[in-house]
Amino acid sequence: MITKTESLEAYKNAIKAHYEIEKSGKYSSFLIHLSRARLRQLCEERLKESNNIEDKLSFSLVFGFEYDVNNRNKLKLQTDKFRPIETFFKGETDLADIEAINIAALLVNFNPRPFRYFISKPLPNEALINEEKHKIGVKHSYKNRNKLKHTIVKKIGIGLLGVIGITSIGYTTKNIILPEPQCMQWQNNHYEVVDCNSNEDNLIKQHNIIPFNEEQSKLIKVEVSDTTQFFKNGKPLYWYAKVNGKPEFFNTHGVHPETGKALKQVSEYIVNKYVKNNNYLKKF
């Protein structure tokens, strides 16, 4: 039985995982270069699109008034309230307030939300399960999946990666089983947990299925720019390996998932040569 504290940590990890995916999505301009003002603007955009009454409730509990498109100037006065969420996404601080965490989930459009739905609401059907698994980059394809009668929560990192619940129809989430992953496969920019004998579709066969490695599973390929913060207190925040003469950047140490080369810590030389001089950007 997983505790509420463990569930909350899983929820936060899932939100952070989805944040990394959303950085290349529709609202990437708000998320790649984080600031309180950009998060405030993103919050407005998300709420304009949302029909979820829980989002409006979380908003009112955090900001002290109900969301309305005419309250834009009022929300501007609350910009500093986005600071804890900004530092949470940057990995500088943690979030303890559940409603603030729910706002973080809204900002990256992570579902299921809010937190009480995350821990208690069963997913209605297999199609939705597959959709949610795709959104956070985790795919479970166990042969006995249809026999599961309990919710399964799987954590995979980016330094931190995500969580997904697999729930049988109509079954209330009470007991949680944590299966040991056996295999994984590189998918675009991250590893996915897969069935070791998976023969499901050709799309996931682009890279070899390999034994699950917890440390390597945290690896995520990231896109950088000349405004990316590469160092903190003199320590590198990214790793890289060259492919066809150009560096590819990752969030943590390990080996390159396609070439097998050991990743190196980013250096000022690499940043100046390939990023600051736009040589990296010319690749795209």
Side-chain angles (χ1 to χ4, degrees):
M1 177 73 71
I2 194 169
T3 67
K4 184 176 181 180
T5 298
E6 290 171 332
S7 295
L8 185 59
E9 288 303 310
Y11 184 49
K12 289 189 287 186
N13 285 342
I15 292 169
K16 283 187 174 181
H18 207 69
Y19 159 69
E20 293 298 327
I21 294 172
E22 286 294 301
K23 284 198 296 186
S24 60
K26 177 181 178 181
Y27 292 117
S28 60
S29 60
F30 293 102
L31 295 170
I32 293 176
H33 307 301
L34 282 176
S35 72
R36 283 161 276 175
R38 287 192 178 97
L39 290 179
R40 185 200 72 232
Q41 293 171 323
L42 177 57
C43 187
E44 291 183 71
E45 295 302 318
R46 293 294 195 193
L47 287 169
K48 288 177 186 176
E49 296 176 349
S50 176
N51 294 318
N52 186 349
I53 192 172
E54 295 291 337
D55 290 338
K56 308 295 195 300
L57 177 60
S58 294
F59 177 90
S60 63
L61 289 173
V62 171
F63 297 100
F65 57 92
E66 293 185 358
Y67 171 76
D68 186 283
V69 292
N70 297 318
N71 284 338
R72 188 172 188 182
N73 289 333
K74 194 172 183 179
L75 182 58
K76 281 185 178 181
L77 299 176
Q78 302 285 336
T79 300
D80 277 345
K81 287 194 175 181
F82 288 95
R83 183 174 184 178
I85 299 175
E86 175 193 359
T87 55
F88 168 73
F89 283 138
K90 288 180 175 179
E92 297 171 354
T93 61
D94 197 6
L95 271 179
D97 181 75
I98 291 178
E99 295 305 330
I101 297 169
N102 288 334
I103 292 296
L106 165 67
L107 290 171
V108 298
N109 199 29
F110 172 77
N111 281 297
R113 67 174 188 269
F115 175 63
R116 61 189 179 87
Y117 279 17
F118 178 81
I119 62 173
S120 66
K121 186 175 181 180
L123 299 177
N125 55 50
E126 185 71 4
L128 181 57
I129 291 171
N130 288 333
E131 178 184 352
E132 291 303 321
K133 286 187 293 184
H134 174 73
K135 285 180 181 178
I136 67 167
V138 179
K139 179 172 182 179
H140 295 269
S141 49
Y142 301 108
K143 292 181 179 179
N144 296 322
R145 178 171 54 191
N146 292 330
K147 297 180 180 179
L148 293 180
K149 295 181 179 179
H150 302 285
T151 297
I152 298 176
V153 174
K154 170 56 61 186
K155 300 178 183 178
I156 299 180
I158 184 183
L160 343 124
L161 246 164
V163 178
I164 189 64
I166 302 178
T167 313
S168 59
I169 297 174
Y171 191 86
T172 302
T173 305
K174 292 182 180 180
N175 298 318
I176 295 177
I177 304 170
L178 298 176
E180 289 295 327
Q182 300 299 319
C183 289
M184 63 185 188
Q185 187 178 47
W186 183 251
Q187 298 292 333
N188 188 28
N189 63 354
H190 62 278
Y191 279 103
E192 294 183 0
V193 173
V194 298
D195 188 331
C196 295
N197 300 309
S198 176
N199 291 310
E200 289 186 352
D201 56 67
N202 292 328
L203 291 177
I204 69 170
K205 289 190 171 186
Q206 296 175 359
H207 302 293
N208 292 333
I209 294 175
I210 61 175
F212 182 83
N213 180 292
E214 183 174 0
E215 288 301 312
Q216 183 73 4
S217 72
K218 299 175 183 178
L219 193 70
I220 291 181
K221 184 179 177 180
V222 296
E223 293 186 13
V224 301
S225 70
D226 56 2
T227 59
T228 299
Q229 180 183 357
F230 285 94
F231 304 93
K232 183 176 181 181
N233 297 326
K235 296 182 179 180
L237 300 176
Y238 295 94
W239 280 253
Y240 78 97
K242 287 185 179 180
V243 178
N244 297 324
K246 298 288 186 180
E248 294 184 352
F249 296 91
F250 296 83
N251 65 309
T252 188
H253 60 85
V255 298
H256 192 284
E258 296 172 306
T259 68
K261 294 180 180 179
L263 301 180
K264 301 177 182 179
Q265 287 186 322
V266 72
S267 64
E268 292 281 2
Y269 172 80
I270 291 296
V271 173
N272 290 331
K273 181 176 180 179
Y274 291 100
V275 182
K276 300 297 184 182
N277 293 329
N278 292 321
N279 289 325
Y280 170 78
L281 300 178
K282 291 176 183 177
K283 174 183 175 182
F284 300 98

